[in-house]
């Protein structure tokens, strides 16, 4: 059976514009909150295939999205490298500070810590409807490095930014370590059933120009090159969130990415006229409009659909937020999948 997301990524016409949403599994769903209460600890939930499989499938059953995204977190790679990781209730993730060369030298990727993730992919793959695509992911080296250096996002990644300003060799070394680990992680995700990969660079927008090139574009291009060498036909989507428009363009042109996810600040005109001629796009409805729902949400969705046409993957400009009413998601999926040009 045809998979609309793969069709779009391969340049074929899909039966409908495909839709999935970043953070489509999560706290806005009562069935997620029930399991979360039972599991208690978020990391346990990611690393227990029974739970992670169930959570990955919850939004597929409820809404019939065109893709399932593996339920995991970008911070599992630092964990597998040996960095201390804790998810504290009501506070989010907290990592050990990796702020000196000695700790960077001690990092060593232990793939066996992630076997549960691969098992989850294999199980989800078996259970997905024939027309639903399975997406694997990792965080981009820059974004993951930010969390490792600063421990969390609360201080705006001040140390990471200082390392950028100083062109610290520590940052280059950490990024190299992350490219190596992410390569192994993504390759095994493909071998476990992932059909598309997404690289989340949620903090790419902290950098501009030459810094964006050095820490976002180059490591991402390197990672993609290595994966494509082994698996040239597995499409990869990049998400350099909140990058400057001109940096989005350079990212599109200088990495071998197959598609680009765009955040909701990027103007539709710029995306259509400057980016879409270079890459397939994904995005970019505001998560706030999904919370609001109703006519405003549908009007904005229609504008995205008519701007980009059928060769587009519908998504948000960032993740679903916990206060989103699930009915609005159902309404959006029906609208997008039923849209006729
Ligand atoms: O129930 C809970 O309290 C946990 C909330 C939660 C969830 C549902 C976290 C903690 N992670 C996740 C899952 C997750 N994270 C997925 C699963 C698939 C899906 O999209 O449904 C994915 C792809 C991620 C990726 C992720 N984790 C990113 C990149 C995308 C983005 O949102 O920008 C980032 C930055 C993280 C770190 C992270 N994990 C969790 C939180 C609260 C955060 C953000 C912390 C911060 O910056 O303060």
């Amino acid at each position: 059976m045809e998979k609309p997301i793969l069709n779009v990524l391969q340049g074929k016409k899909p039966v409908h514009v495909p839709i999935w949403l970043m953070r489509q599994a999560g706290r806005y769903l009562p069935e997620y909150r029930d399991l979360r209460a039972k599991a208690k600890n978020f990391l346990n939930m990611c690393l227990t295939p029974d739970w992670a499989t169930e959570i990955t499938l919850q939004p597929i059953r409820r809404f019939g999205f065109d893709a399932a995204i593996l339920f995991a977190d970008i911070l599992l790679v630092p964990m597998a490298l040996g960095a201390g990781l804790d998810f504290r209730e009501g506070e989010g993730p907290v990592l050990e500070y990796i702020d000196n060369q000695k700790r960077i030298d001690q990092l060593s990727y232990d793939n066996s810590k992630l076997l549960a993730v691969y098992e989850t992919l294999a199980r989800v793959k078996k259970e997905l409807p024939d027309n639903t695509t399975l997406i694997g992911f990792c965080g981009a080296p820059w974004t993951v490095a930010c969390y490792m250096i600063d421990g969390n996002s609360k201080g705006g990644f001040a140390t990471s930014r200082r390392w950028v300003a100083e062109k610290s060799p520590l940052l280059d070394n950490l990024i190299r370590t992350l490219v190596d680990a992410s390569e192994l992680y993504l390759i095994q995700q493909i071998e476990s059933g992932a059909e598309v990969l997404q690289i989340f660079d949620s903090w790419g927008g902290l950098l501009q120009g030459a810094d964006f090139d050095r820490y976002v574009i180059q490591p991402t291009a390197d990672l993609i090159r290595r994966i494509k060498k082994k698996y040239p036909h597995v499409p990869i989507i990049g998400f350099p969130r909140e990058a400057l428009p001109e940096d989005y363009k350079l990212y599109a042109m200088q990495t071998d990415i197959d598609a680009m996810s765009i955040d909701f600040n990027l103007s539709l005109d710029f995306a259509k006229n400057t980016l879409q001629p270079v890459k397939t796009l994904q995005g970019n409805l505001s998560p706030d409009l999904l919370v609001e729902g109703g006519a405003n949400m549908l009007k904005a969705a229609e504008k995205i659909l008519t701007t980009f046409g059928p060769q587009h993957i519908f998504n948000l400009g960032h993740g679903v937020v916990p206060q989103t009413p699930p009915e609005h998601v159902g309404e959006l999926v029906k609208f997008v999948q039923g849209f006729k040009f």
Side-chain angles (χ1 to χ4, degrees), residues 20-27 32 36 42 45-46 69-75 87 89 91-93 137 143 147 152-154 157 200 202-203 239 241 318-319:
W20 70 278
L21 303 180
M22 293 185 258
R23 291 277 166 101
Q24 64 190 19
R27 279 171 294 176
Y32 173 88
R36 178 83 165 76
F42 174 75
M45 216 159 70
C46 293
I69 180 157
L70 165 72
F71 186 78
D73 196 84
I74 63 167
L75 301 178
F87 279 90
E89 264 338 288
E91 209 188 310
F137 73 91
T143 285
Y147 283 101
N152 61 62
S153 61
K154 292 193 179 75
F157 302 111
F200 287 89
S202 304
W203 301 103
F239 183 33
R241 186 171 74 90
H318 197 191

